[in-house]
């Protein structure tokens, strides 16, 4: 017989639920309890594009070392959805565990011999204790969390504390939740062998980290960064950015004296209108943003070109999902990189930021608003479903009280009055960034006509070749300026000198960091560079040239960021080898290790053969 | 301070208004449109209206889409900031601009192609939201700038310059604006400055979504026999239902009209519209009746003009959003950033 898996603080548990059954909060309760025991957890929602009745999964990787990438494989399945039973049972690793609702008998053929099967009559327990149908459903979820807490050897006190915090002042709810938890715990203690081979043991590896989703984080970053106008059109996986912005604004941005709002949020009629509103607000001096996903960016193309060419600050948050077309709306990818980098017709290039986790989502939300004002152009924050819609353990948000908003080059009425020369599209500082005036600034000076057509340095309509070329060259210079002020790459040297490098970005980060550790433990050394923005600073070029071969790990089919690097830095494509994961699930360390180790093996084979000869 | 009216020693364009500007201060660059284009007359009416209203030019933000009509903001109010956006999408840009700074006056200029063809959705939604703006469509039934193709406001059966007959029914922007809740709706004719100037003044002083559909013949592509947007056709079929005078304060009202014929409407900013009814059966404060009237007269081929509907108690998007009295764009970190202590609390809630 297959030996049951033995693992402490290092396993994957997956909950198979029915969408809309109230399982989400129970599953989150479980994850938080593990975290409160000082053990890091990386939870992920896996859900199809529908609202009720269809399957949804919650996969939690419990990992004392703190790796928050998806691991792959399932050590324990909590199978609450009869519809997906076969696939769920098949997914369990040999020696793994299956917890299921045994209220209704399931034929033996439906199980596997090489797993540990734990049946608990969850429906029966719940129906006996509760009469209200909604309560029966909800508390069934809490009951299985109670069962798990015993099976995995977790402290009841941790759960009780969490309940107490959550239901502060709502004693009735508090009591009934504790009761449901104990129904599960009592059953498990009485009827089940416990604890299992997999278990949670108190540790001290969480520190002051917070558990939060990227979309909430970026919304909060926009609140802190001073965004006052937001316009959006609902689309998965970005909608919760706007919803969180609304929630935080209602809490943090209502003037206490007057009760009036220091924000305006419009749910627009489509993405064309959302970006139009953001551009209008940016033109008029407010900090504004929109949040969308690939299909929305496709619609916004014409307007993005206008904002680029007329030089209007705006921030666009792209929570990427699987493309093309409607693609995989509820799966993750990094496949809008080229779409955003070169958005709109004509010669255009845009600034992209790549946050790695919710902490950086917060940071880059505020940074994007600064950069937009400083550079007077669209700034894209490229997150994805994996970061955006999953809670991730990360460093707490930080805000320097002394931090001012960088409003960029805005001429005041005093400047104009003093007779300063104002050429809206004139490079007076040598950085390619011109000065602007806001509507209404001065009765007679500084007004100009903003347009997407070509113009001279004083914003006068002009189709003269030299005027056009001056402007286009200045925009290139501005882009070069941007490379110096965007968040710079993070480099980590391998323990030993190496000919190999790895470049990665965004949500690939946790899997990559784990992969580097695994490779190193196996004697494979790789210098690594995490890109945080486009345009690429000079250091990226140098990093590639310093190595014989650089692996570029990303989550799309066409190696989009690699194309961008090769194109923009004029790098020999043979120096950059793509490692691509794009089936819609988050990339894993296992995948990266396998791909890189194989490539290195193959590369070094002929050399070894020669040496031997 | 009392304002003493100076004798008109100069050309009328050099007379100063109450805020110290001459009419010339409201002009823009030299127009590049075709000689005789209706759009130029509308620009002149806008200049006249702003001057008469004593608006400081820099307090106006003028926005447009793309088209001959949308070029015109460069030809008036040269001291105002202007924004020539993209084709059909000016309403969203104006909405965002308005949200950022509620203290400016928003003047949108668009074409029938811009607002009824490519931009119908944005036009409709800006009306629905009640953006505080004066929105003028310079309606010539064709795409002037791309050389005379039919637009969505071309009437069914009207003939193009090249002889093609339009078989699609026309989008009625006035009808849409009325239905979707615009609170000031008018139609006029570029050739009737006496009617148009007070209508523009009323729209600029209105506290919500104001829309004026101005028939503005394209002399180059749509001014021939068989067109229903030519100078001749509009003159012959023009049915004015009202005549408005725009008055800045109530005290200036003098009894000039016989009782019963005149409706006085006090607008949001305290200004008065004195409306003289030209048709007994027309009540411009009754939205449903206005819609009915428009429909039945349009069916008879009449072009009904004048102030068609006004809701003096209009509200706007800022009211529904409960935004601050001061422009959002004027707020700094002091007002906007919740600070470190609040962030520490938020961090704690995520543990
Ligand atoms: C996306 C896009 N499609 C097409 C055009 C070409 N185009 C420019 S103006 C115009 C029509 C303008 O018609 P209207 O708004 O009625 O203005 P008019 O010139 O008649 O005043 C078109 C189709 C464009 N500028 N942008
Ligand atoms: S083409 Fe028509 S609309 Fe355009 S400027 Fe000439 S007359 Fe006016
Ligand atoms: Mg037209």
């Amino acid at each position: 017989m297959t030996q049951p898996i033995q693992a402490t603080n290092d396993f994957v548990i997956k909950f198979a639920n029915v969408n809309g059954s109230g399982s989400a909060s129970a599953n989150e309760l479980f994850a938080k309890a593990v975290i409160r025991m000082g053990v890091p957890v990386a939870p992920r929602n896996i859900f199809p594009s529908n609202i009720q009745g269809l399957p949804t999964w919650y996969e939690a990787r419990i990992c004392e070392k703190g790796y928050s990438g998806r691991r792959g494989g399932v050590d324990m399945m909590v199978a609450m959805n009869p519809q997906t039973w076969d696939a769920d049972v098949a997914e369990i690793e040999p020696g793994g565990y299956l917890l299921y609702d045994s209220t209704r008998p399931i034929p033996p053929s439906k199980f596997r011999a090489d797993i540990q099967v734990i049946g608990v009559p969850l429906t029966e327990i719940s129906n006996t204790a509760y009469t209200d149908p909604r309560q029966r459903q909800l508390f069934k979820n809490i009951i299985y969390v109670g069962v798990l807490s015993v099976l995995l050897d977790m402290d009841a006190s941790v759960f009780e504390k969490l309940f107490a915090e959550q239901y502060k002042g709502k004693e009735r709810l508090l009591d009934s939740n504790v009761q449901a938890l104990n129904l599960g715990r009592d059953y498990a203690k009485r009827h089940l062998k416990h604890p299992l081979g997999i278990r949670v043991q108190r540790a001290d590896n969480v520190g002051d980290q917070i558990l939060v989703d990227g979309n909430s984080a970026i919304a909060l970053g926009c609140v802190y960064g001073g965004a006052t106008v937001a316009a959006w059109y609902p689309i998965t996986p970005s909608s919760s950015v706007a919803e969180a912005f609304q929630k935080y604004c209602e809490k943090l941005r209502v003037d206490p004296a007057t009760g009036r709002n220091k924000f305006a949020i419009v749910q627009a009629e489509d993405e064309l209108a959302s970006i139009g509103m953001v551009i209008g607000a940016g033109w008029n001096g407010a900090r504004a943003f929109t949040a969308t996903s690939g299909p929305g960016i496709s619609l916004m193309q014409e307007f993005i070109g206008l904002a680029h060419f007329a030089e209007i600050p705006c921030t666009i948050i792209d929570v990427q999902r699987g493309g093309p077309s409607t693609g995989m709306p509820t799966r993750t990818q990094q496949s809008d990189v080229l779409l955003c980098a070169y958005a709109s017709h004509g010669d255009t290039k845009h600034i992209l930021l790549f946050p790695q986790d919710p902490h950086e989502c917060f940071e880059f939300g505020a940074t994007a608003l600064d950069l937009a004002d400083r550079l007077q152009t669209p700034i894209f924050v490229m997150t994805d479903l994996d970061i955006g819609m999953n809670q991730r353990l990360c460093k707490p948000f930080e805000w320097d009280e002394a931090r001012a908003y960088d409003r960029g080059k805005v001429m005041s009425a005093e400047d104009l009055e003093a007779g300063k020369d104002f050429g809206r599209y004139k490079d007076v500082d040598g950085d390619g960034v011109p000065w602007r005036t806001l509507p209404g600034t001065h009765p007679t000076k500084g007004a100009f006509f903003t347009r997407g057509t070509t113009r001279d340095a004083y914003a006068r309509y002009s189709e003269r070749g030299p005027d056009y070329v001056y402007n286009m060259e200045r925009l290139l210079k501005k882009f070069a300026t941007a490379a110096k002020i965007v968040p710079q790459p993070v480099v980590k040297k391998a323990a030993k000198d190496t000919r190999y490098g790895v470049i990665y970005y965004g949500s690939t980060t946790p899997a990559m960091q784990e992969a580097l550790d695994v490779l190193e433990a196996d004697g494979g050394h790789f210098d690594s560079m995490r890109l945080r923005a486009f345009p690429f600073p000079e250091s990226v070029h140098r990093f590639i040239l310093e190595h014989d071969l650089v692996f570029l790990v990303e989550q799309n089919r066409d190696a989009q960021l690699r194309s961008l690097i090769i194109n923009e830095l004029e790098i020999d494509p043979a120096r950059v080898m793509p490692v691509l994961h794009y089936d819609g699930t988050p990339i894993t360390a296992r995948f990266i290790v396998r791909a890189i180790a194989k490539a290195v093996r193959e590369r070094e084979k002929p050399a070894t053969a020669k040496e031997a000869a | 301070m009392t304002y003493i009216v100076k004798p008109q020693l100069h050309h009328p364009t050099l007379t100063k208004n109450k805020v110290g500007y001459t009419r010339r201060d409201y002009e823009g660059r030299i127009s590049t449109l075709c000689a005789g284009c209706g759009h130029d007359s509308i620009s002149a009416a806008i200049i006249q209206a702003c001057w008469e209203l004593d608006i400081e030019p820099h307090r106006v933000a003028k926005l447009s889409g793309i088209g001959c009509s949308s070029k015109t903001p460069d030809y008036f109010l040269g001291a105002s900031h202007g924004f020539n956006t993209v084709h059909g999408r000016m309403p969203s840009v104006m909405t965002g601009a308005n949200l950022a700074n509620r203290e400016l006056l928003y003047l949108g200029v668009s074409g029938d192609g811009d607002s009824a063809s490519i931009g119908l959705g944005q036009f409709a939604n800006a009306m629905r939201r009640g953006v505080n703006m004066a929105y003028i469509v310079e309606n010539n039934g064709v795409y002037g700038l791309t050389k005379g193709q039919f637009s969505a406001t071309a009437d069914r059966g009207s003939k193009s310059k090249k002889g093609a007959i339009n078989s699609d029914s026309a989008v009625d922007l006035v009808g849409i604006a009325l239905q979707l809740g615009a609170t000031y709706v008018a139609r006029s004719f570029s050739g009737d400055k006496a009617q148009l100037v007070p209508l523009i003044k009323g729209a600029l002083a209105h506290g919500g979504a104001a829309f004026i559909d101005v028939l503005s013949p394209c002399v180059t592509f749509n001014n021939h026999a068989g067109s229903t947007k030519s100078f001749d056709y509009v003159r012959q079929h023009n049915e004015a239902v009202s005549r408005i005078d725009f008055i800045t304060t109530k005290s200036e009202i003098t009894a000039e009209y016989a009782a019963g014929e005149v409706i006085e409407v006090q607008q949001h900013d305290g200004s008065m519209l004195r409306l003289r009814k030209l048709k007994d059966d027309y009540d411009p404060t009754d939205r449903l009746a206005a819609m009915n009237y428009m429909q039945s007269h349009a069916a008879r081929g009449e072009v009904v003009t004048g102030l068609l509907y006004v809701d003096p108690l209009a509200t706007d998007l800022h009211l529904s959003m409960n935004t601050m009295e001061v422009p959002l764009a004027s707020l700094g970190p002091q007002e906007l950033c919740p600070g470190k202590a609040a962030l520490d609390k938020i961090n704690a809630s995520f543990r």
Side-chain angles (χ1 to χ4, degrees), chain A residues 10-26:
Chain A
D10 187 15
F11 58 92
V12 173
I13 179 166
K14 188 167 178 176
F15 302 80
N17 299 104
V18 174
N19 210 357
S21 64
S23 56
S25 53

Side-chain angles (χ1 to χ4, degrees), chain B residues 32-40 67-69 140 142-148 216-222:
Chain B
T32 59
L33 302 185
C34 306
C37 174
H39 300 349
D40 278 334
C68 295
S69 35
N140 55 17
V142 288
Y143 299 164
L145 194 60
T146 53
K147 300 196 185 302
S216 176
C218 169
V219 291
T220 305
F221 296 113
N222 205 13

Side-chain angles (χ1 to χ4, degrees), chain B residues 82-142:
Chain B
F83 197 165
N84 197 182
T85 64
V86 288
H87 195 19
R89 322 290 175 198
M90 172 269 281
S92 62
V93 179
M94 185 148 66
T95 304
N98 186 306
L99 289 175
N101 184 353
R102 60 188 301 174
E103 282 181 352
L104 301 180
L105 285 172
Y106 291 88
L107 173 61
V109 175
S110 175
D112 43 308
D114 203 57
S115 282
S117 300
I118 192 169
L120 184 59
Q122 292 218 340
F123 170 82
N125 279 287
M127 296 302 155
R128 277 178 61 221
R129 294 193 179 99
V131 179
N132 186 356
M133 62 184 173
Y135 191 125
I136 296 173
V137 167
E138 307 188 343
N139 187 352
N140 55 17
V142 288

Side-chain angles (χ1 to χ4, degrees), chain A residues 32 36 162 165 207-212 216 220 223-224 226 228-229 248 252-253 255 258-270 272-273 276-281 283-286 302-303 306 310 312 362 396-399 401 403-405 407 437-444 446-453 459-461, chain B residues 21 29 56-64 70-74 78-87 89-102 104 106 118 121-123 125-126 128-129 317-318 321-325 328-344 346-351:
Chain A
K32 276 211 158 168
R36 287 291 177 92
L162 280 166
E165 289 167 20
D208 67 347
Q209 291 184 94
I210 57 173
L211 183 73
V212 62
S216 296
L220 195 61
V223 173
Y224 271 73
T228 49
V229 177
Y248 286 124
L252 303 165
R253 279 278 198 80
D255 181 44
T258 60
R260 305 279 280 270
N261 295 334
K262 294 186 266 189
F263 62 92
I265 302 168
V266 187
Q267 188 195 308
E269 59 269 32
D270 56 28
L272 279 76
M277 289 175 198
V278 168
I279 289 171
W283 175 73
N284 224 355
E302 187 186 16
F303 255 135
L306 173 72
I312 297 161
F362 173 81
F397 303 138
E398 287 157 23
W399 189 262
E401 217 61 285
R403 179 169 173 168
Y405 295 159
R407 298 307 319 260
T437 55
L438 300 179
T441 299
H442 190 281
T444 53
F448 68 98
F449 200 53
T450 306
R451 46 159 63 92
T453 37
R460 292 173 297 224
Y461 181 81
Chain B
Y21 292 88
R29 282 177 212 283
E56 293 175 287
H58 73 295
R59 304 309 299 166
V60 180
K62 40 179 195 172
L63 294 99
S64 62
S70 293
K71 281 183 176 186
T72 63
D74 208 12
S80 311
H81 273 69
F83 197 165
N84 197 182
T85 64
V86 288
H87 195 19
R89 322 290 175 198
M90 172 269 281
S92 62
V93 179
M94 185 148 66
T95 304
N98 186 306
L99 289 175
N101 184 353
R102 60 188 301 174
L104 301 180
Y106 291 88
I118 192 169
Q122 292 218 340
F123 170 82
N125 279 287
R128 277 178 61 221
R129 294 193 179 99
L317 185 57
H318 279 283
M321 290 201 161
N322 189 33
T323 42
M324 297 277 284
E325 206 76 69
L328 291 177
S330 70
L331 304 176
Q334 220 77 17
E335 295 91 3
L336 299 177
C337 184
K340 191 174 164 5
L343 195 59
D344 290 343
I346 293 169
N347 278 326
S349 74
F350 290 132
R351 289 194 180 110

